[in-house]
Amino acid sequence: MLHQSSVGGLALEFEKILPRDRVFADPLRRLAYGTDASFYRLTPQVVVVAEEEADILAILATCRRLKAPVTFRAAGTSLSGQAVTDSVLAVLGEGFATFAYDAATQVARLGPSLVGGEANRRLAPLGRKIGPDPASIATAKIGGIAANNSSGMCCGVGQNSYHTLAGLRLVLADGVALDTGDPVSVAAFRRSHAGLLEGLAALSAEVKADDVTAARIKEKFRLKNTTGYAINALVDFDDPIDILAHLMIGSEGTLGFLSRVDYRTVPEYKDKASALVVFADLASACRAVSALKSAPVEAVELLDRASLESVKHKKGMPVDVDSLGPQAAALLIESRAADADTLRAQLATIAATIDLSTTLNGVNFTSDPVESGRLWDIRKGTFPAVGGKRPPGTTVIIEDVAFPVARLADATADLQALLHAHGYREAIIFGHALEGNLHFVFAQGFESETEIARYAAFMEAVAELVVGKYDGSLKAEHGTGRNMAPFVEREWGAVATAAMRRIKALLDPENLLNPGVLLNDDSKIHLKNLKPMPATSPLVDSCIECGFCEPQCPSKGLTLSPRQRITAAREMRRLRCDDPDAPQLAEMQKAYDYAGDATCAGCSLCSTVCPLEIDTGTFIRTLRAGRRGGVAHSVAGALAGHFALTLKATRAGLAAGDLATRVLGGAAVQKASAAAHRALGLPRLSPAMPRAEWPGSAPAPDTAGLAPVLFFPSCASRAMGPAPGDDSPPLQQVAAQVFARAGYRLVLPDGLDELCCGQPFASKGFPDIAKAKAEELANSLSSEGAAIPLVFDTSPCATRMQAFAGPRFRPVDLVQFLRDEIAPKLALKPLPETIAVHVTCSLRKAGLASALIDVASACADKVIAPPGVTCCGFAGDKGFSQPELNDHALRHLNESLPDDCREGYSSSRTCEIGLAAHSGRRYRSILHLVDAASSPR
């Protein structure tokens, strides 16, 4: 471990080869960037971000010179401690998120920082996907998927990274690159590394000549197995280039760096069906698994009785779980086919394979995507059920093992008994039964020696059960990591383990690449460097730092992600309790004020993908509220109490900005504003800054006799009109026109300019003031129109007011009202245009993303929702106060839109400002699109 002074010196060495903004040595970011999904904690001495292979070569050269070990990190979803280090952590940047596809060979060439789910999204229109399908595929990146040989629910053994590898590009510890798909590169490598290749060839020959070892390797890899290195390469291949390439799969960054992974893609069938079949006992379920091995099934997931209990209230559960016996179990079965007729035939075969007399609910497949999705939600809900109920201060441990399928029933029963014997009575068992792969989940604390000893004894017992009794795999798909490194020889024996050590010595003789992972001489390493999980806030205490939230976060890569915010908050809480005078505490807190708080959009999209629905945005807002008081609170109260004046002042400011732009020119104003923002922290004006929207008497359509609709325009749309150069009519006027065409009369609340839903105050950390404004609005709306539809023009306002509605009124989002009530009553003629839409965070959280797409698709020939854009990062006024957040969140927007796309639409005026500025296109309310495409029916 280096001292703090050495940490700074190490950072200076990397600043010589990388931009300073990609080298992190401060306590906050070393901690935050160093966390992963495992239950281990090692804090790197320096974090460096690599964007291209040249960076990797420079990093490796520096590490060799300084004798500093290095660990490569992709998404950090690893569960076994293989992505943490107390030395140099090299995090892969977006430059490595490359994608290419060769239609002739059906090979996808993927960069290591490309998310697996994104690779599949791009392959889907071609009817293809990558073979590995880990549960973390929406977050996990190709580098980690390959480096851990991850598999998943439908992947099995035959479609994992090892078996679908078409080639790769790698960089060895000595800084030499090899592209196995490039004959020139291969030829050069054969010359430069003849000794290495000869060593691999000799080892392969020795293993093949040892009939016992060779046979054991072949037998072991018929199961899912990620314990140790992929030494099946030694018996599967003769050419040492092929051996080397396949040894890299599952090597967990200990043998080299993967610059690119080439996958032979597999079919992605659209026709699929699922069934959750419940059995009276575990033995019957496991016998069905054995029978299904030869059936046309894509996945067979086992859930034990405890798993079923944990999700018994989930919608779609086909049986009454409370009525089941203690030995009940279920299989979630999925079948896929190239067409519907083939699928029907497959389902008949599957049904005939299962002994119906052993089931409690028959075999009833559904091909309805919604119903099938519910069944899979039941399966996916098992892990959160344990995680959400664990005691504060504990973590959730997910282990995975594999048994021979023929012995699965006995093995599962033994595993259940083992968990109970060691006091893990809340544990559940589920898994990919078709491969004999079981996951068991339990809560574990590490705050006392007693708890650590309990865990140590349990792991010893697991090793004896899996290896000693069943000769199974101690790690089936989660990688060896630190957690199972001490048990590699237990599973493989001395000869095979010695071969693994020779491989490591050949490829990394200085032991610089992720040392201590996969192979480790310390028999207690799995009990060291355990991650503290102190209770911090009920809002986030259930977080296990899995990282599933990160792809949704607009600030990830700029400052911190939700996982990193929670990690840092926990550590600062620990320091305040255990070492309040720690010098790094004040430094961390100061850095957190910006990285953790100021640049958090508070959009809460993290909760939509979190298995436990943790809302880090709400957590950050509570931290803001804890610091807001005194003068700030008084000012906020005054603004809220005189809201009409606040709106007038906002309009006056916008008018002044518009005047300055017309007099001085937009470029000059932008330059001056940017300089003032940098020097004084003043708000930075947007290039798409709107003009003031003054209340006026716009011509109203004839609405006599039409049904009334109470319409609430947000304070943003009341104050902010179109951008300069945009001659669009005021939004209220457009709403009145569109509603009248559909047979509705627009009614505005009385005293409109004093009303606000409170969202601006809530996001700033004034929850009491925000609540008071929301209740004021609720009272006004209740008295105005309790019996008529109430439509909010802005999605965030509609979402917020849902919590204050009750029986008094039902707030409806404009997008939902347009789809369900307005569009069916209009004649819509799609415009011959390509348009963009932005689904706001509120629409996503409300489940209305498809509603916006539906409305837009009815009004334009082609609709694009840029896949790389989640929250726009404007976040109320952060587009002005922290414009770097908006810049970062929309950095890929422009490149995602084709040249013929000139218009964009959304349902939040502030979001539209940022979208317009970063795309160079006009963004307006979706109402404008409906207006342009509609006529009375």
Side-chain angles (χ1 to χ4, degrees), residues 256-316:
F257 173 77
L258 298 176
S259 289
R260 192 192 72 239
V261 182
D262 303 343
Y263 282 106
R264 289 190 299 274
T265 59
V266 300
E268 169 65 304
Y269 295 132
K270 293 183 179 179
D271 287 287
K272 58 187 74 174
S274 302
L276 186 68
V277 183
V278 184
F279 297 82
D281 55 73
L282 187 64
S284 297
C286 291
R287 282 195 295 272
V289 173
S290 296
L292 289 168
K293 281 289 285 184
S294 59
V297 292
E298 191 81 10
V300 178
E301 295 288 296
L302 173 70
L303 294 87
D304 74 348
R305 178 64 177 79
S307 296
L308 292 171
E309 179 69 24
S310 72
V311 290
K312 66 181 181 181
H313 299 301
K314 288 285 242 180
K315 190 172 185 179

Side-chain angles (χ1 to χ4, degrees), residues 429-694:
I429 298 174
F430 59 88
H432 319 316
L434 211 59
E435 307 298 334
N437 178 195
L438 297 181
H439 300 313
F440 47 102
V441 182
F442 57 96
Q444 174 68 54
F446 292 119
E447 293 186 345
S448 70
E449 290 300 321
T450 301
E451 280 296 293
I452 294 173
R454 177 169 73 130
Y455 178 70
F458 175 66
M459 290 303 294
E460 283 290 332
V462 167
E464 180 56 35
L465 174 69
V466 175
V467 175
K469 185 172 183 177
Y470 290 101
D471 196 21
S473 306
L474 284 169
K475 279 294 185 179
E477 60 178 6
H478 291 174
T480 307
R482 284 178 164 77
N483 194 33
M484 208 58 73
F487 301 95
V488 171
E489 188 163 345
R490 175 93 59 99
E491 176 169 338
W492 277 106
V495 174
T497 305
M500 294 182 189
R501 293 188 182 279
R502 284 173 62 183
I503 291 167
K504 173 68 170 175
L506 278 169
L507 290 162
D508 182 23
E510 296 182 88
N511 197 28
L512 292 178
L513 302 181
N514 215 9
V517 168
L518 200 143
L519 295 173
N520 200 305
D521 293 330
D522 185 348
S523 64
K524 303 296 184 183
I525 191 63
H526 63 303
L527 305 176
K528 298 177 180 178
N529 303 305
L530 299 169
K531 181 189 291 184
M533 301 285 276
T536 302
S537 164
L539 293 171
V540 298
D541 283 344
S542 59
C543 173
I544 65 164
E545 302 180 9
C546 67
F548 282 19
C549 55
E550 292 189 333
Q552 295 295 318
C553 181
S555 63
K556 180 186 181 294
L558 172 68
T559 51
L560 301 181
S561 69
R563 166 170 65 174
Q564 293 166 342
R565 287 184 167 92
I566 293 171
T567 295
R570 283 173 166 164
E571 177 63 6
M572 289 188 293
R573 173 59 182 261
R574 186 191 70 80
L575 288 172
R576 281 192 289 269
C577 294
D578 298 347
D579 190 8
D581 297 323
Q584 70 267 35
L585 178 57
E587 184 178 353
M588 289 180 69
Q589 183 60 66
K590 182 178 179 181
Y592 195 85
D593 289 345
Y594 173 74
D597 180 353
T599 53
C600 176
C603 62
S604 300
L605 284 186
C606 47
S607 66
T608 66
V609 291
C610 172
L612 302 173
E613 299 181 356
I614 295 167
D615 188 340
T616 310
T618 296
F619 170 62
I620 294 298
R621 286 193 293 273
T622 64
L623 296 183
R624 289 174 188 164
R627 296 198 303 272
R628 300 292 194 266
V631 174
H633 193 275
S634 298
V635 171
L639 293 174
H642 303 86
F643 203 71
L645 290 176
T646 301
L647 282 182
K648 288 181 180 179
T650 301
R651 293 180 181 118
L654 291 171
D658 182 41
L659 176 62
T661 297
R662 285 189 278 115
V663 173
L664 303 175
V669 171
Q670 292 299 312
K671 184 176 181 180
S673 173
H677 175 73
R678 288 191 300 269
L680 303 174
L682 297 178
R684 190 186 79 183
L685 302 183
S686 167
M689 203 71 187
R691 304 193 305 269
E693 183 67 70
W694 297 99

Side-chain angles (χ1 to χ4, degrees), residues 843-854:
L843 284 176
R844 293 177 190 272
K845 290 183 290 185
L848 291 173
S850 61
L852 181 65
I853 304 296
D854 290 345

Side-chain angles (χ1 to χ4, degrees), residues 176-471:
V176 173
L178 166 65
D179 189 334
T180 65
D182 180 358
V184 175
S185 176
V186 171
F189 191 83
R190 290 189 192 278
R191 292 190 298 271
S192 66
H193 286 66
L196 168 62
L197 296 178
E198 288 169 3
L200 290 176
L203 180 57
S204 174
E206 289 177 29
V207 170
K208 289 172 182 172
D210 182 342
D211 293 340
V212 174
T213 300
R216 177 160 179 74
I217 290 172
K218 290 179 180 178
E219 182 62 29
K220 290 284 290 179
F221 280 103
R222 287 193 176 97
L223 287 176
K224 280 188 177 182
N225 194 320
T226 59
T227 308
Y229 289 120
I231 54 175
N232 46 336
L234 299 174
V235 297
D236 290 344
F237 301 98
D238 297 317
D239 187 335
I241 294 290
D242 290 330
I243 294 173
L244 174 58
H246 286 81
L247 282 172
M248 297 298 294
I249 302 300
S251 64
E252 302 175 22
T254 64
L255 300 181
F257 173 77
L258 298 176
S259 289
R260 192 192 72 239
V261 182
D262 303 343
Y263 282 106
R264 289 190 299 274
T265 59
V266 300
E268 169 65 304
Y269 295 132
K270 293 183 179 179
D271 287 287
K272 58 187 74 174
S274 302
L276 186 68
V277 183
V278 184
F279 297 82
D281 55 73
L282 187 64
S284 297
C286 291
R287 282 195 295 272
V289 173
S290 296
L292 289 168
K293 281 289 285 184
S294 59
V297 292
E298 191 81 10
V300 178
E301 295 288 296
L302 173 70
L303 294 87
D304 74 348
R305 178 64 177 79
S307 296
L308 292 171
E309 179 69 24
S310 72
V311 290
K312 66 181 181 181
H313 299 301
K314 288 285 242 180
K315 190 172 185 179
M317 175 63 75
V319 294
D320 177 11
V321 175
D322 289 335
S323 68
L324 300 179
Q327 298 302 315
L331 298 178
L332 176 56
I333 306 168
E334 180 162 294
S335 184
R336 302 178 184 179
D339 57 74
D341 290 339
T342 303
L343 179 61
R344 279 191 290 270
Q346 290 180 180
L347 299 184
T349 299
I350 296 168
T353 302
I354 298 174
D355 182 356
L356 293 180
S357 67
T358 64
T359 72
L360 300 179
N361 65 329
V363 181
N364 301 297
F365 278 94
T366 176
S367 57
D368 180 275
V370 175
E371 292 299 321
S372 182
R374 286 174 180 164
L375 295 180
W376 281 99
D377 282 344
I378 290 172
R379 157 64 178 84
K380 295 172 183 176
T382 52
F383 162 67
V386 175
K389 296 178 181 178
R390 75 183 195 274
T394 64
T395 189
V396 170
I397 293 181
I398 313 171
E399 279 302 341
D400 83 302
V401 296
F403 300 103
V405 174
R407 305 182 70 187
L408 187 60
D410 290 342
T412 306
D414 284 347
L415 187 55
Q416 287 175 328
L418 200 64
L419 285 160
H420 288 178
H422 287 268
Y424 301 111
R425 305 195 66 83
E426 82 292 347
I428 63 173
I429 298 174
F430 59 88
H432 319 316
L434 211 59
E435 307 298 334
N437 178 195
L438 297 181
H439 300 313
F440 47 102
V441 182
F442 57 96
Q444 174 68 54
F446 292 119
E447 293 186 345
S448 70
E449 290 300 321
T450 301
E451 280 296 293
I452 294 173
R454 177 169 73 130
Y455 178 70
F458 175 66
M459 290 303 294
E460 283 290 332
V462 167
E464 180 56 35
L465 174 69
V466 175
V467 175
K469 185 172 183 177
Y470 290 101
D471 196 21

Side-chain angles (χ1 to χ4, degrees), residues 6-27:
S6 300
V7 171
L10 192 59
L12 289 174
E13 292 293 332
F14 284 102
E15 287 176 1
K16 296 175 183 177
I17 62 171
L18 295 171
R20 291 188 64 182
D21 62 358
R22 289 201 270 129
V23 179
F24 307 122
D26 61 283

